[in-house]
Coordinates of all heavy atoms in Angstrom, one line a residue:
M53 N 9.3 61.6 72.6 CA 9.7 62.6 71.8 C 9.5 62.2 70.3 O 10.1 61.1 70.0 CB 11.1 63.1 72.0 CG 11.4 64.5 71.5 SD 10.6 65.9 72.2 CE 11.3 66.0 73.8
S54 N 8.8 62.9 69.5 CA 8.6 62.4 68.1 C 9.7 63.0 67.2 O 10.7 63.7 67.7 CB 7.3 62.9 67.6 OG 7.3 64.3 67.5
C55 N 9.8 62.6 65.9 CA 10.9 62.9 65.1 C 10.9 64.5 64.8 O 11.9 65.0 64.5 CB 10.6 62.3 63.7 SG 9.2 62.6 62.9
C56 N 9.8 65.2 65.1 CA 9.8 66.7 64.8 C 10.2 67.4 66.1 O 10.2 68.6 66.2 CB 8.4 67.1 64.3 SG 7.1 66.9 65.4
G57 N 10.5 66.7 67.2 CA 10.9 67.3 68.4 C 9.7 67.7 69.3 O 10.0 68.1 70.5
K58 N 8.6 67.4 68.8 CA 7.3 67.8 69.8 C 6.9 66.5 70.5 O 7.1 65.3 70.0 CB 6.2 68.2 69.0 CG 6.5 69.6 68.4 CD 5.2 70.1 67.6 CE 5.5 71.4 66.9 NZ 4.3 71.8 66.0
K59 N 6.5 66.7 71.7 CA 5.9 65.6 72.5 C 4.6 65.2 72.0 O 3.7 66.1 71.8 CB 5.8 66.0 74.0 CG 5.6 64.9 74.8 CD 5.7 65.4 76.3 CE 5.3 64.2 77.2 NZ 5.4 64.7 78.6
P60 N 4.3 64.0 71.6 CA 3.0 63.6 71.1 C 1.9 63.7 72.1 O 2.2 63.6 73.3 CB 3.2 62.0 70.8 CG 4.6 61.8 70.8 CD 5.3 62.8 71.7
A61 N 0.7 64.0 71.7 CA -0.4 64.2 72.6 C -0.7 62.9 73.3 O -0.8 61.8 72.7 CB -1.5 64.7 71.8
A62 N -0.9 63.0 74.6 CA -1.1 61.8 75.5 C -2.4 61.1 75.0 O -2.5 59.9 75.1 CB -1.2 62.2 76.9
S63 N -3.4 61.8 74.5 CA -4.7 61.3 74.2 C -4.5 60.3 73.0 O -5.3 59.4 73.0 CB -5.7 62.4 73.9 OG -5.2 63.1 72.7
A64 N -3.6 60.5 72.1 CA -3.4 59.6 71.0 C -3.0 58.3 71.6 O -3.5 57.2 71.1 CB -2.4 60.1 70.1
F65 N -2.1 58.2 72.6 CA -1.7 56.9 73.2 C -2.9 56.3 73.9 O -3.1 55.1 73.8 CB -0.6 57.1 74.1 CG 0.7 57.5 73.4 CD1 1.2 58.7 73.6 CD2 1.3 56.6 72.6 CE1 2.5 59.1 72.9 CE2 2.5 56.9 72.0 CZ 3.1 58.2 72.1
V66 N -3.6 57.1 74.6 CA -4.8 56.6 75.3 C -5.8 56.0 74.3 O -6.3 54.9 74.6 CB -5.4 57.7 76.2 CG1 -6.8 57.2 76.8 CG2 -4.5 58.2 77.3
R67 N -6.1 56.7 73.3 CA -7.0 56.2 72.3 C -6.5 54.8 71.7 O -7.2 53.9 71.5 CB -7.2 57.2 71.1 CG -8.2 58.2 71.5 CD -8.8 59.0 70.2 NE -7.7 59.5 69.4 CZ -7.2 60.7 69.5 NH1 -7.5 61.5 70.4 NH2 -6.2 61.0 68.6
A68 N -5.2 54.7 71.4 CA -4.6 53.5 70.7 C -4.7 52.4 71.7 O -5.0 51.3 71.4 CB -3.2 53.8 70.3
K69 N -4.5 52.7 73.0 CA -4.6 51.7 74.0 C -6.0 51.1 74.2 O -6.2 49.9 74.3 CB -4.0 52.2 75.4 CG -4.0 51.2 76.4 CD -3.4 51.9 77.7 CE -3.7 51.0 78.9 NZ -3.7 51.7 80.2
D70 N -6.9 52.1 74.2 CA -8.4 51.7 74.4 C -8.8 50.8 73.1 O -9.5 49.9 73.3 CB -9.3 52.9 74.4 CG -9.1 53.6 75.8 OD1 -8.5 53.1 76.7 OD2 -9.6 54.8 75.8
K71 N -8.3 51.3 72.0 CA -8.7 50.5 70.8 C -8.1 49.1 70.8 O -8.8 48.1 70.5 CB -8.2 51.3 69.5 CG -8.7 50.9 68.2 CD -10.0 51.5 68.0 CE -10.6 51.2 66.7 NZ -11.9 51.5 66.5
W72 N -6.9 49.0 71.3 CA -6.3 47.7 71.4 C -6.9 46.9 72.4 O -7.2 45.6 72.1 CB -4.8 47.9 71.7 CG -4.2 46.5 72.1 CD1 -3.8 46.0 73.3 CD2 -3.8 45.4 71.1 NE1 -3.3 44.7 73.2 CE2 -3.3 44.4 71.9 CE3 -3.9 45.4 69.7 CZ2 -3.0 43.2 71.2 CZ3 -3.5 44.2 69.1 CH2 -3.0 43.2 69.8
N73 N -7.3 47.4 73.5 CA -8.0 46.7 74.6 C -9.4 46.2 74.1 O -9.7 45.1 74.3 CB -8.2 47.5 75.8 CG -6.9 47.7 76.6 OD1 -6.0 46.9 76.4 ND2 -6.9 48.7 77.5
E74 N -10.0 47.0 73.3 CA -11.4 46.7 72.8 C -11.2 45.5 71.7 O -11.9 44.5 71.8 CB -11.9 47.8 72.1 CG -13.3 47.5 71.4 CD -13.8 48.7 70.6 OE1 -13.5 49.8 71.0 OE2 -14.4 48.5 69.5
Y75 N -10.1 45.5 70.9 CA -9.8 44.4 69.9 C -9.5 43.2 70.7 O -10.1 42.2 70.3 CB -8.7 44.9 69.0 CG -8.1 43.7 68.2 CD1 -8.7 43.4 67.1 CD2 -7.0 43.0 68.7 CE1 -8.3 42.4 66.3 CE2 -6.5 42.0 67.9 CZ -7.1 41.7 66.7 OH -6.6 40.6 66.0
A76 N -8.7 43.2 71.7 CA -8.2 42.1 72.4 C -9.5 41.4 73.1 O -9.6 40.2 73.1 CB -7.2 42.4 73.4
E77 N -10.4 42.2 73.7 CA -11.6 41.7 74.4 C -12.5 41.0 73.4 O -13.0 39.9 73.6 CB -12.2 42.8 75.1 CG -13.5 42.4 75.8 CD -13.3 41.4 76.9 OE1 -12.1 41.3 77.5 OE2 -14.2 40.6 77.3
N78 N -12.7 41.6 72.2 CA -13.6 41.0 71.2 C -13.0 39.7 70.7 O -13.7 38.7 70.5 CB -13.7 42.0 70.0 CG -14.7 43.1 70.3 OD1 -15.5 42.9 71.1 ND2 -14.5 44.1 69.5
Y79 N -11.6 39.7 70.5 CA -11.0 38.4 70.0 C -11.1 37.3 71.1 O -11.5 36.2 70.7 CB -9.5 38.8 69.9 CG -8.7 37.7 69.2 CD1 -9.1 37.1 68.0 CD2 -7.5 37.2 69.8 CE1 -8.3 36.1 67.4 CE2 -6.7 36.2 69.3 CZ -7.1 35.6 68.1 OH -6.4 34.7 67.5
R80 N -10.9 37.7 72.3 CA -11.1 36.7 73.4 C -12.5 36.1 73.5 O -12.7 35.0 73.6 CB -10.7 37.3 74.7 CG -10.5 36.3 75.9 CD -10.3 37.1 77.2 NE -11.4 38.0 77.6 CZ -12.6 37.6 78.0 NH1 -12.8 36.3 78.2 NH2 -13.6 38.4 78.3
Q81 N -13.5 37.0 73.3 CA -14.9 36.7 73.4 C -15.2 35.7 72.2 O -15.9 34.7 72.4 CB -15.8 37.9 73.3 CG -15.9 38.6 74.7 CD -16.8 39.8 74.5 OE1 -17.2 40.1 73.5 NE2 -17.0 40.5 75.6
H82 N -14.7 36.0 71.1 CA -15.0 35.1 69.9 C -14.4 33.7 70.1 O -15.0 32.7 69.8 CB -14.4 35.8 68.6 CG -15.0 37.0 68.2 ND1 -14.4 37.9 67.2 CD2 -16.1 37.7 68.7 CE1 -15.3 38.9 67.1 NE2 -16.3 38.8 67.9
L83 N -13.1 33.7 70.6 CA -12.6 32.4 70.9 C -13.4 31.6 71.9 O -13.6 30.3 71.8 CB -11.1 32.5 71.4 CG -10.2 33.1 70.3 CD1 -8.8 33.2 71.0 CD2 -10.2 32.3 69.0
E84 N -14.0 32.3 72.9 CA -14.8 31.6 73.9 C -16.1 31.1 73.4 O -16.5 30.0 73.7 CB -15.0 32.6 75.1 CG -13.8 32.6 76.1 CD -14.1 33.3 77.3 OE1 -15.3 33.6 77.6 OE2 -13.2 33.6 78.0
I85 N -16.7 31.9 72.6 CA -18.0 31.6 72.0 C -17.8 30.3 71.0 O -18.5 29.4 71.1 CB -18.6 32.8 71.1 CG1 -19.0 33.9 72.0 CG2 -19.7 32.3 70.2 CD1 -19.3 35.2 71.4
C86 N -16.8 30.4 70.2 CA -16.5 29.2 69.4 C -16.1 28.0 70.2 O -16.5 26.9 69.8 CB -15.3 29.5 68.4 SG -15.8 30.7 67.1
G87 N -15.5 28.2 71.4 CA -15.1 27.1 72.2 C -16.4 26.3 72.8 O -16.3 25.2 73.1
N88 N -17.5 27.0 72.8 CA -18.7 26.5 73.4 C -19.6 26.1 72.2 O -20.8 25.7 72.5 CB -19.4 27.5 74.3 CG -18.7 27.7 75.6 OD1 -18.7 26.7 76.4 ND2 -18.3 28.8 75.9
C89 N -19.2 26.2 71.0 CA -20.1 25.9 69.9 C -19.9 24.4 69.5 O -18.7 23.9 69.3 CB -19.8 26.8 68.7 SG -20.8 26.6 67.3
I90 N -21.0 23.7 69.1 CA -20.9 22.3 68.8 C -20.3 22.2 67.2 O -20.0 21.1 66.7 CB -22.2 21.5 68.8 CG1 -23.3 22.3 68.0 CG2 -22.5 21.4 70.3 CD1 -24.5 21.5 67.9
E91 N -20.3 23.3 66.5 CA -19.8 23.3 65.2 C -18.4 23.4 65.1 O -17.8 23.4 64.0 CB -20.5 24.4 64.4 CG -22.0 24.4 64.3 CD -22.5 23.1 63.6 OE1 -21.8 22.4 63.0 OE2 -23.7 22.8 63.8
L92 N -17.6 23.6 66.2 CA -16.2 23.7 66.2 C -15.6 22.3 66.1 O -15.9 21.4 66.8 CB -15.7 24.4 67.5 CG -14.2 24.7 67.6 CD1 -13.8 25.8 66.6 CD2 -13.8 25.1 69.0
R93 N -14.7 22.2 65.1 CA -14.0 21.0 64.9 C -12.6 21.2 65.5 O -11.8 21.9 65.1 CB -13.8 20.7 63.3 CG -13.2 19.3 63.1 CD -12.9 19.1 61.6 NE -14.2 19.1 60.9 CZ -14.4 19.8 59.8 NH1 -13.5 20.6 59.3 NH2 -15.5 19.7 59.1
R94 N -12.4 20.4 66.6 CA -11.1 20.6 67.3 C -10.0 19.9 66.6 O -10.2 18.8 66.1 CB -11.3 19.9 68.7 CG -12.3 20.6 69.6 CD -11.7 21.8 70.2 NE -12.5 22.5 71.2 CZ -12.3 23.5 71.8 NH1 -11.1 24.2 71.6 NH2 -13.1 24.1 72.7
F95 N -8.8 20.4 66.7 CA -7.6 19.9 66.2 C -7.2 18.6 67.1 O -6.9 17.7 66.6 CB -6.5 20.9 66.0 CG -5.2 20.4 65.4 CD1 -5.2 20.0 64.1 CD2 -4.1 20.2 66.2 CE1 -4.0 19.5 63.6 CE2 -2.9 19.7 65.6 CZ -2.9 19.4 64.3
H96 N -7.3 18.9 68.4 CA -7.0 17.8 69.4 C -8.4 17.5 69.9 O -9.1 18.2 70.5 CB -6.2 18.4 70.5 CG -4.7 18.7 70.0 ND1 -3.9 17.8 69.6 CD2 -4.2 20.0 69.9 CE1 -2.8 18.5 69.2 NE2 -2.9 19.7 69.5
S97 N -8.8 16.2 69.7 CA -10.1 15.7 70.0 C -10.4 15.6 71.5 O -11.5 15.4 72.0 CB -10.4 14.4 69.4 OG -9.3 13.5 69.8
V98 N -9.4 15.7 72.4 CA -9.6 15.5 73.8 C -9.8 16.7 74.6 O -10.0 16.8 75.8 CB -8.3 14.8 74.5 CG1 -8.1 13.4 74.0 CG2 -7.0 15.6 74.2
V99 N -9.9 17.8 73.9 CA -10.1 19.2 74.5 C -11.6 19.2 74.9 O -12.5 19.0 74.0 CB -9.7 20.3 73.6 CG1 -10.1 21.7 74.3 CG2 -8.3 20.2 73.2
P100 N -12.0 19.6 76.2 CA -13.4 19.5 76.5 C -14.1 20.8 75.9 O -13.5 21.8 75.7 CB -13.4 19.7 78.0 CG -12.0 20.2 78.4 CD -11.1 19.8 77.3
L101 N -15.5 20.6 75.7 CA -16.3 21.7 75.2 C -16.2 22.9 76.3 O -16.2 22.6 77.4 CB -17.8 21.2 75.2 CG -18.7 22.2 74.5 CD1 -18.5 22.4 73.0 CD2 -20.1 21.7 74.8
G102 N -16.1 24.1 75.8 CA -16.0 25.2 76.7 C -14.6 25.8 76.7 O -14.4 27.0 77.0
T103 N -13.6 25.0 76.3 CA -12.2 25.5 76.2 C -12.2 26.5 74.9 O -12.7 26.0 73.9 CB -11.3 24.4 76.0 OG1 -11.4 23.5 77.1 CG2 -9.8 24.9 76.1
P104 N -11.7 27.7 75.1 CA -11.6 28.6 74.0 C -10.8 27.9 72.8 O -10.0 27.1 73.0 CB -10.8 29.8 74.5 CG -11.0 29.8 75.9 CD -11.1 28.4 76.3
A105 N -11.3 28.3 71.6 CA -10.7 27.7 70.3 C -9.2 28.0 70.3 O -8.8 29.0 70.7 CB -11.4 28.3 69.1
T106 N -8.4 27.0 69.9 CA -6.9 27.2 69.9 C -6.4 26.6 68.6 O -7.2 26.0 67.8 CB -6.3 26.4 71.0 OG1 -6.7 25.0 70.9 CG2 -6.7 26.9 72.4
K107 N -5.2 26.9 68.2 CA -4.4 26.4 67.1 C -5.1 26.2 65.9 O -5.6 27.2 65.3 CB -3.7 25.2 67.6 CG -2.6 25.4 68.7 CD -1.8 24.3 69.0 CE -0.8 24.6 70.1 NZ -0.1 23.5 70.6
L108 N -5.3 25.0 65.4 CA -5.9 24.7 64.2 C -7.4 24.3 64.2 O -7.9 23.7 63.4 CB -5.1 23.6 63.4 CG -3.7 24.0 63.0 CD1 -2.9 22.9 62.4 CD2 -3.7 25.2 62.1
D109 N -8.1 24.7 65.3 CA -9.5 24.3 65.4 C -10.2 25.1 64.3 O -10.0 26.3 64.0 CB -10.0 24.8 66.8 CG -9.4 24.1 67.9 OD1 -8.8 23.1 67.7 OD2 -9.7 24.5 69.1
N110 N -11.2 24.5 63.7 CA -11.9 25.2 62.6 C -13.4 25.0 62.7 O -13.8 24.1 63.4 CB -11.3 24.9 61.2 CG -11.5 23.5 60.8 OD1 -12.0 22.7 61.6 ND2 -11.2 23.1 59.6
C111 N -14.1 25.8 61.9 CA -15.5 25.8 62.0 C -16.0 24.8 60.9 O -15.5 24.8 59.8 CB -16.0 27.2 61.6 SG -17.8 27.3 61.5
R112 N -17.0 23.9 61.3 CA -17.5 22.9 60.4 C -18.3 23.6 59.3 O -18.4 23.1 58.2 CB -18.5 21.9 61.2 CG -17.6 20.9 61.9 CD -18.6 19.7 62.3 NE -17.8 18.7 63.0 CZ -17.6 18.8 64.3 NH1 -18.1 19.7 65.0 NH2 -16.9 17.7 64.8
I113 N -18.9 24.7 59.6 CA -19.8 25.4 58.6 C -19.1 26.1 57.5 O -19.3 26.0 56.4 CB -20.8 26.3 59.4 CG1 -21.7 25.4 60.3 CG2 -21.7 27.1 58.3 CD1 -22.6 26.2 61.2
C114 N -18.2 27.1 58.0 CA -17.5 27.8 57.0 C -16.0 27.3 56.7 O -15.5 27.7 55.7 CB -17.3 29.3 57.4 SG -16.4 29.5 58.9
G115 N -15.5 26.4 57.5 CA -14.2 25.8 57.3 C -13.0 26.7 57.7 O -11.9 26.3 57.6
C116 N -13.3 27.9 58.2 CA -12.2 28.7 58.6 C -11.5 28.3 59.9 O -12.1 27.7 60.8 CB -12.8 30.1 58.9 SG -13.5 30.9 57.4
V117 N -10.2 28.6 60.0 CA -9.4 28.4 61.2 C -9.8 29.6 62.1 O -9.6 30.7 61.8 CB -7.9 28.4 61.0 CG1 -7.1 28.4 62.2 CG2 -7.5 27.3 60.0
I118 N -10.4 29.2 63.3 CA -11.0 30.2 64.2 C -10.0 31.2 64.7 O -10.2 32.4 64.9 CB -11.8 29.6 65.2 CG1 -12.9 28.7 64.7 CG2 -12.3 30.6 66.3 CD1 -13.9 29.6 63.9
L119 N -8.8 30.7 65.0 CA -7.7 31.6 65.5 C -7.4 32.7 64.7 O -7.1 33.8 65.1 CB -6.5 30.7 65.9 CG -5.5 31.2 67.0 CD1 -6.3 31.1 68.3 CD2 -4.3 30.4 67.1
L120 N -7.5 32.5 63.4 CA -7.3 33.6 62.4 C -8.6 34.4 62.2 O -8.5 35.6 62.2 CB -6.8 33.1 61.1 CG -5.4 32.2 61.1 CD1 -5.2 31.6 59.7 CD2 -4.4 33.1 61.5
K121 N -9.6 33.7 61.9 CA -10.9 34.4 61.6 C -11.3 35.4 62.7 O -11.8 36.5 62.4 CB -12.0 33.3 61.3 CG -13.3 33.9 61.0 CD -14.3 32.8 60.7 CE -15.7 33.4 60.5 NZ -16.4 32.7 59.4
A122 N -11.2 34.9 63.9 CA -11.7 35.8 65.0 C -10.9 37.2 65.2 O -11.4 38.0 65.8 CB -11.6 35.0 66.4
G123 N -9.8 37.2 64.5 CA -9.0 38.4 64.7 C -9.3 39.5 63.7 O -8.9 40.6 63.8
F124 N -10.2 39.2 62.7 CA -10.5 40.1 61.7 C -11.9 40.7 62.0 O -12.9 39.9 62.0 CB -10.5 39.6 60.3 CG -9.1 39.2 59.8 CD1 -8.6 37.9 59.9 CD2 -8.3 40.2 59.3 CE1 -7.4 37.6 59.5 CE2 -7.0 39.9 58.8 CZ -6.5 38.6 58.9
S125 N -12.1 42.0 62.1 CA -13.3 42.6 62.4 C -14.4 42.4 61.2 O -15.5 42.5 61.4 CB -13.1 44.1 62.7 OG -12.6 44.8 61.7
S126 N -13.8 42.2 60.0 CA -14.6 42.1 58.9 C -15.3 40.7 58.8 O -16.1 40.3 58.0 CB -13.8 42.3 57.6 OG -12.8 41.4 57.5
Q127 N -14.8 39.7 59.6 CA -15.3 38.4 59.7 C -16.4 38.2 60.7 O -16.3 38.8 61.7 CB -14.1 37.4 59.9 CG -13.1 37.4 58.8 CD -13.6 36.8 57.5 OE1 -14.2 35.8 57.5 NE2 -13.3 37.6 56.4
H128 N -17.4 37.3 60.3 CA -18.4 37.0 61.3 C -18.8 35.5 61.3 O -18.4 34.8 60.4 CB -19.7 37.8 60.8 CG -19.5 39.3 60.8 ND1 -19.5 40.1 61.9 CD2 -19.2 40.1 59.7 CE1 -19.2 41.3 61.6 NE2 -19.1 41.4 60.3
C129 N -19.4 35.2 62.4 CA -19.8 33.7 62.5 C -20.9 33.5 61.5 O -21.9 34.3 61.3 CB -20.4 33.6 63.9 SG -21.3 32.0 64.1
P130 N -20.9 32.3 60.8 CA -21.9 32.2 59.7 C -23.3 31.9 60.2 O -24.2 32.0 59.5 CB -21.3 30.9 59.0 CG -20.4 30.2 60.0 CD -19.8 31.3 60.8
I131 N -23.4 31.6 61.6 CA -24.7 31.4 62.1 C -25.1 32.5 63.1 O -26.0 32.4 63.9 CB -25.0 30.0 62.8 CG1 -23.9 29.8 63.9 CG2 -24.8 28.9 61.7 CD1 -24.2 28.4 64.6
G132 N -24.3 33.6 63.0 CA -24.6 34.8 63.8 C -24.3 34.8 65.3 O -24.9 35.6 66.0
K133 N -23.4 34.0 65.8 CA -23.1 33.9 67.2 C -22.2 35.1 67.5 O -22.2 35.5 68.7 CB -22.4 32.6 67.5 CG -23.4 31.5 67.6 CD -22.8 30.2 68.2 CE -23.8 29.2 68.4 NZ -23.2 28.0 69.1
W134 N -21.4 35.6 66.6 CA -20.6 36.8 66.9 C -20.4 37.6 65.6 O -20.6 37.1 64.6 CB -19.3 36.5 67.5 CG -18.4 35.5 67.0 CD1 -18.4 34.1 67.3 CD2 -17.4 35.6 65.9 NE1 -17.5 33.5 66.6 CE2 -16.9 34.3 65.7 CE3 -17.0 36.7 65.1 CZ2 -15.9 34.0 64.7 CZ3 -16.0 36.5 64.2 CH2 -15.4 35.2 64.0
Ligands
SF4_116 S1 -17.7 30.6 63.7 FE1 -19.8 30.4 64.6 S2 -20.5 28.4 63.9 FE2 -18.3 28.4 63.6 S3 -17.5 27.5 65.4 FE3 -17.5 29.7 65.8 S4 -19.5 30.1 66.8 FE4 -19.6 28.0 65.8

């Protein structure tokens, strides 16, 4: 029930959920792509290639922390991988 006493339209929730799922899937894909990239500078050096980017891993080319960068739709890979 909303503040005006009307029941919100179910489609608004469905749209918000779909948007969130799309965002989460893109984010996960970006971390996986970076995890397979040789330009990723790992915070922990013992992590094998292919492990999705975590914590303070950053890009050698742009210097960005991937965990943050991958979450913004306005950000892109400097060599066009995503
Ligand atoms: S942003 Fe691009 S170049 Fe940098 S680590 Fe990720 S995939 Fe590699």
Side-chain angles (χ1 to χ4, degrees):
M53 196 67 72
S54 69
C55 60
C56 63
K58 293 181 182 174
K59 191 175 179 182
S63 62
F65 291 114
V66 171
R67 281 199 307 271
K69 185 179 164 203
D70 288 348
K71 197 80 177 165
W72 172 256
N73 287 342
E74 181 186 327
Y75 168 81
E77 180 61 23
N78 284 340
Y79 187 56
R80 191 188 60 75
Q81 282 179 356
H82 294 168
L83 295 182
E84 280 187 12
I85 291 168
C86 290
N88 284 302
C89 181
I90 58 170
E91 301 298 345
L92 183 69
R93 185 184 299 126
R94 295 282 187 181
F95 184 69
H96 296 292
S97 57
V98 294
V99 179
L101 186 69
T103 305
T106 58
K107 295 186 179 172
L108 296 176
D109 296 348
N110 66 355
C111 178
R112 281 193 178 91
I113 297 174
C114 64
C116 295
V117 174
I118 297 302
L119 209 62
L120 298 174
K121 178 179 179 142
F124 291 99
S125 60
S126 60
Q127 296 293 312
H128 301 283
C129 169
I131 57 172
K133 289 189 173 186
W134 51 265

